[in-house]
Amino acid sequence: MEVPQQHKQPSRKGKKAWRKNVDVSDVQAGLEQAREELIKGGIIAEKPSESLFTLDITGSEAIQDLYDKAHKPLKADQILAQRSTVPAIDSRKRPGYVTDGVIELGSKRRKSNGVSPREYERLREVAYGAQSIKDIIKTDGAPDYDPWAFKEEKADPRFSYLEKQKPIRAPSTLKEAPISLVASAREVPAVSTPKAATSYNPEGQDYDALLTSEGQKEVEAERKRLHQAKLDQELLNRIAAAENEREIDVQTEDESAWEGFESDFEGAQWVNKKRPERKTPAERNKIKRRREAERTKMWEKKMKEREKQQMQIGKIARQMKKEAKARAVVKAEPEEQGEVDERVLRRRRLGKDFLPESPLELVLPDELQDSLRLLKPEGNLLKDRFRSILVRGKLETRKPIQQPKKKRRTYTEKWSYKDFEIPT
């Protein structure tokens, strides 16, 4: 509701001149208008002219259409004004580097998406291993952050009575090189180069070879599984047969005992069996002399073997030198840079749990696609990276702890309630 209006105030000495009867409708309307302008973006009177007015440079389209109708251009001008989306033929020299069969145009060769062709070739060489990565990643040797460094903290004099905390020491295994889990004991790259047969459009010969090898592995694995299942079934059958025989034997023994017959183990010959008697001193001395003679014979035999080894020390030393030279030659020879199969692991694993199996990077012939657009995303980059770290020996295999063990607490009741005195 609005404040009661009173436009004529001839006198200010009566009740009509009180504050509640003063006309403030114009002030109220101004406040409402200012509030609405603030909601819409700000007070118009306080805004600069640039935010309120714009300069029209393009002009009116309706006037342009009227002008075009009145002054129609010539047909030749219309033909010349048309521009094709296909770029013109490049008259410059072709690039000196080897291309993949597609010649880039001059406009694209200058800069494609902000990358010059020379920079593109350099990045391509780095990605495919033609250039050493050491030129890009420069390490000075000193890390930016050392988690094992000891940090000296100022001791609070209020807690001087407490025992000082021991510094954290780095484990000795940090200085040792990681042990690869591959059976060939060779260093595995962090990101292995994919095979040609795993491409989305592979060659027929490579794809057939990979399909045949993987099929043979799966057939062999299935054969082993069936053989193990057969052995398990035979073991279960034997256990069941043994239990049945045991039940039958128990029943027959009960029946024979009930009928008054006794088994062989319950006869008088077991009761009257002669117990082992105590040996006489002569027999003990005889046994002692025999053991002493055996010990002397064994000692003489070891001494003869030691004398033979002493006589052959020179021969053994020459043989060890030859073996050491052979090992040095083998170590000095460079290893052949062949493919490393990450799926063939060594027997002794790092940790208690087994390493997760690598995914099968192969699709069936009917699943091959002709273009990249029809491909379906497969695999998991995080799992591949984690398995690579485990294979290279950076981490040990562990299972995630689903239910961590809780600390055991023992609750006891104080016996103070028993310590009481009876008043006399």
Side-chain angles (χ1 to χ4, degrees):
M1 295 179 64
E2 295 184 358
V3 180
Q5 298 181 3
Q6 192 172 0
H7 300 285
K8 297 180 180 180
Q9 295 181 0
S11 176
R12 292 180 176 271
K13 294 180 180 179
K15 290 185 178 180
K16 295 181 179 181
W18 290 358
R19 185 176 296 175
K20 64 179 182 180
N21 297 324
V22 175
D23 186 11
V24 291
S25 59
D26 54 347
V27 177
Q28 198 76 12
L31 290 175
E32 290 291 337
Q33 185 180 359
R35 191 179 295 109
E36 291 179 0
E37 291 178 359
L38 285 173
I39 292 171
K40 293 179 180 179
I43 299 174
I44 297 174
E46 296 177 356
K47 287 186 177 182
S49 301
E50 291 80 3
S51 61
L52 297 175
F53 303 99
T54 57
L55 186 61
D56 187 8
I57 302 174
T58 57
S60 176
E61 294 181 358
I63 296 173
Q64 184 67 31
D65 294 340
L66 293 174
Y67 180 81
D68 293 341
K69 287 181 180 179
H71 305 81
K72 191 174 182 180
L74 299 175
K75 191 66 176 179
D77 295 337
Q78 293 179 1
I79 294 172
L80 292 174
Q82 292 179 354
R83 295 295 178 183
S84 176
T85 56
V86 180
I89 298 173
D90 191 12
S91 61
R92 297 186 180 183
K93 294 182 179 181
R94 294 186 178 181
Y97 55 86
V98 180
T99 62
D100 54 356
V102 180
I103 302 173
E104 296 180 354
L105 299 175
S107 59
K108 290 186 178 180
R109 197 186 306 133
R110 292 192 190 97
K111 193 169 270 193
S112 175
N113 296 329
V115 182
S116 61
R118 184 176 297 178
E119 183 68 14
Y120 173 75
E121 289 299 323
R122 188 186 70 81
L123 295 174
R124 190 175 182 181
E125 289 177 358
V126 171
Y128 288 95
Q131 183 179 352
S132 177
I133 304 177
K134 294 180 180 178
D135 301 337
I136 302 173
I137 304 173
K138 296 180 180 180
T139 56
D140 301 334
D144 296 336
Y145 173 72
D146 187 9
W148 304 103
F150 176 67
K151 298 179 181 179
E152 293 184 0
E153 298 180 357
K154 294 182 179 179
D156 195 346
R158 296 178 298 172
F159 307 107
S160 58
Y161 58 91
L162 295 176
E163 186 180 356
K164 292 184 179 179
Q165 189 177 6
K166 294 181 180 180
I168 300 174
R169 294 183 180 180
S172 59
T173 52
L174 285 179
K175 300 178 182 179
E176 299 176 3
I179 302 172
S180 177
L181 298 184
V182 182
S184 59
R186 290 175 55 186
E187 293 185 1
V188 182
V191 181
S192 58
T193 306
K195 298 179 181 179
T198 57
S199 173
Y200 79 98
N201 191 10
E203 296 183 0
Q205 186 175 1
D206 297 338
Y207 179 76
D208 291 341
L210 181 61
L211 184 63
T212 305
S213 62
E214 294 295 339
Q216 291 176 356
K217 290 179 182 178
E218 293 296 330
V219 169
E220 188 66 26
E222 183 66 17
R223 189 178 299 155
K224 289 182 179 179
R225 189 189 67 80
L226 293 175
H227 181 65
Q228 186 64 31
K230 185 178 179 181
L231 293 178
D232 295 341
Q233 188 63 32
E234 289 179 358
L235 181 61
L236 293 175
N237 295 337
R238 289 179 183 177
I239 293 172
E243 290 179 354
N244 293 334
E245 290 179 0
R246 190 179 301 168
E247 291 177 359
I248 293 171
D249 293 342
V250 170
Q251 292 177 2
T252 54
E253 288 178 2
D254 294 340
E255 290 175 0
S256 62
W258 178 261
E259 294 175 0
F261 296 101
E262 294 182 352
S263 61
D264 297 337
F265 298 99
E266 298 174 358
Q269 59 181 355
W270 288 93
V271 178
N272 300 328
K273 189 175 180 181
K274 189 176 180 180
R275 297 178 61 187
E277 297 179 358
R278 188 173 184 182
K279 292 182 177 62
T280 60
E283 291 175 349
R284 290 178 189 164
N285 294 334
K286 187 178 179 179
I287 294 170
K288 191 183 296 183
R289 285 194 300 270
R290 189 182 71 239
R291 289 179 180 175
E292 189 68 27
E294 290 177 356
R295 196 180 295 111
T296 306
K297 189 177 179 180
M298 186 68 69
W299 183 78
E300 290 177 355
K301 186 178 180 180
K302 287 184 179 180
M303 292 301 295
K304 288 180 181 180
E305 290 179 358
R306 186 176 297 177
E307 289 176 0
K308 287 182 181 179
Q309 290 179 359
Q310 289 177 0
M311 294 174 65
Q312 295 178 357
I313 284 176
K315 186 178 179 180
I316 295 172
R318 288 192 296 271
Q319 187 178 358
M320 290 179 66
K321 285 183 180 179
K322 288 182 181 179
E323 292 177 358
K325 287 182 180 179
R327 285 196 297 268
V329 170
V330 172
K331 192 174 182 180
E333 290 179 355
E335 296 183 357
E336 296 181 357
Q337 296 295 333
E339 295 183 358
V340 182
D341 193 357
E342 299 181 3
R343 293 187 292 178
V344 182
L345 305 175
R346 62 176 188 168
R347 291 185 178 180
R348 188 176 180 183
R349 60 182 184 270
L350 186 65
K352 297 181 180 180
D353 300 320
F354 291 94
L355 190 71
E357 295 182 0
S358 60
L360 182 61
E361 298 179 353
L362 181 67
V363 293
L364 298 176
D366 55 348
E367 295 178 355
L368 290 174
Q369 303 295 341
D370 297 334
S371 64
L372 288 170
R373 294 180 180 178
L374 300 177
L375 282 180
K376 295 180 181 179
E378 296 181 1
N380 192 328
L381 190 60
L382 180 61
K383 290 183 179 179
D384 296 343
R385 180 65 177 165
F386 182 66
R387 190 180 185 279
S388 174
I389 293 173
L390 295 178
V391 169
R392 287 180 290 149
K394 302 285 186 180
L395 290 175
E396 63 179 18
T397 54
R398 292 184 180 179
K399 287 184 179 179
I401 301 173
Q402 302 293 344
Q403 294 182 354
K405 293 183 179 179
K406 297 181 180 179
K407 187 178 180 181
R408 292 185 177 181
R409 299 180 182 273
T410 56
Y411 297 93
T412 59
E413 187 177 0
K414 292 185 178 181
W415 288 47
S416 58
Y417 70 93
K418 290 188 176 182
D419 300 336
F420 59 91
E421 296 180 358
I422 299 175
T424 59

